[in-house]
Amino acid sequence: MKTFMFGVFSASLFLTSCADPAANKTKANVSNATNTTANSNTTAAPGKTETLAVTPENSKVEFTASKVTASHPGGFKKFDGSIDLVNEKPEGSKVKIDIDLSSVFTNEDKLSEHLKTADFFDVAKFPKANFTSTSIAPDAAKGADNYTVTGDFDLHGQKKSINFPAVIKVDADAVTVTSEFSINRKDFGLVYPGFANDLINDLVVIKLDLKAPRKK
């Protein structure tokens, strides 16, 4: 009986540790990017515009990747961006982030270095990734401060239009953007499968925690 209970307990721990972190996250919609500017905010809307800085000192750009046996949290140490706040509202405003892919880190040093190679980001060929919003629209079904952000994401030489949910708050001292969603790495040409007995999951969780201070 003890042996049986130990086996059940061990199996439970194994399944918990190997759970796919993207399983309960909203998957970003991905499509081919276009040059169409109609119904977008690629050009700032008329009115008062306040440009706020997004830096590693006030924000985080993180991810969680996983394979059959483990999950690996990580992120980027170097990035810069901006929030162009228009008329004190998220609608009509714009978010832009440029990421230095060579600054990638994970919970394992060996994996961090592997991610820089041609198997993954290939930073020698594609040193940067960037995102520029084209639309920020209220998500009335989810309530106040909830929005759908659409924009062009350029990663690994693949430029795609993506949209994802975000909570955006405009306060007197800062504008905050928080979001957690998944993307399919293969949509951006990241197709390295991993080992046959430890395959890498296609979906990667992206976590944004931006807090751009406002000038007083």
Side-chain angles (χ1 to χ4, degrees), residues 4-150:
F4 173 77
M5 292 303 296
F6 178 79
V8 171
F9 179 70
S10 299
S12 176
L13 287 177
F14 178 82
L15 291 172
T16 301
S17 65
C18 301
D20 184 354
N24 63 346
K25 306 300 180 188
T26 300
K27 184 179 177 182
N29 293 317
V30 178
S31 60
N32 291 329
T34 68
N35 293 322
T36 302
T37 57
N39 300 319
S40 76
N41 65 350
T42 52
T43 301
K48 179 183 176 182
T49 299
E50 181 182 353
T51 299
L52 314 176
V54 174
T55 71
E57 285 69 42
N58 58 43
S59 301
K60 295 179 181 179
V61 177
E62 299 176 323
F63 63 84
T64 302
S66 62
K67 53 187 179 180
V68 172
T69 60
S71 294
H72 296 286
F76 301 94
K77 296 178 181 179
K78 296 180 181 179
F79 57 87
D80 61 79
S82 61
I83 297 175
D84 290 337
L85 178 64
V86 178
N87 297 328
E88 302 276 330
K89 297 180 180 180
E91 303 95 314
S93 297
K94 183 177 178 180
V95 178
K96 186 177 187 297
I97 301 176
D98 293 317
I99 302 169
D100 181 348
L101 295 177
S102 68
S103 71
V104 65
F105 69 89
T106 69
N107 60 338
E108 293 184 6
D109 292 342
K110 186 176 180 180
L111 173 59
S112 301
E113 292 303 312
H114 191 191
L115 288 177
K116 300 175 188 179
T117 71
D119 285 342
F120 292 99
F121 292 136
D122 196 359
V123 298
K125 188 175 181 180
F126 307 108
K128 299 247 181 179
N130 59 72
F131 173 81
T132 302
S133 68
T134 56
S135 173
I136 300 176
D139 188 343
K142 293 182 179 179
D145 301 326
N146 283 272
Y147 295 84
T148 297
V149 178
T150 303

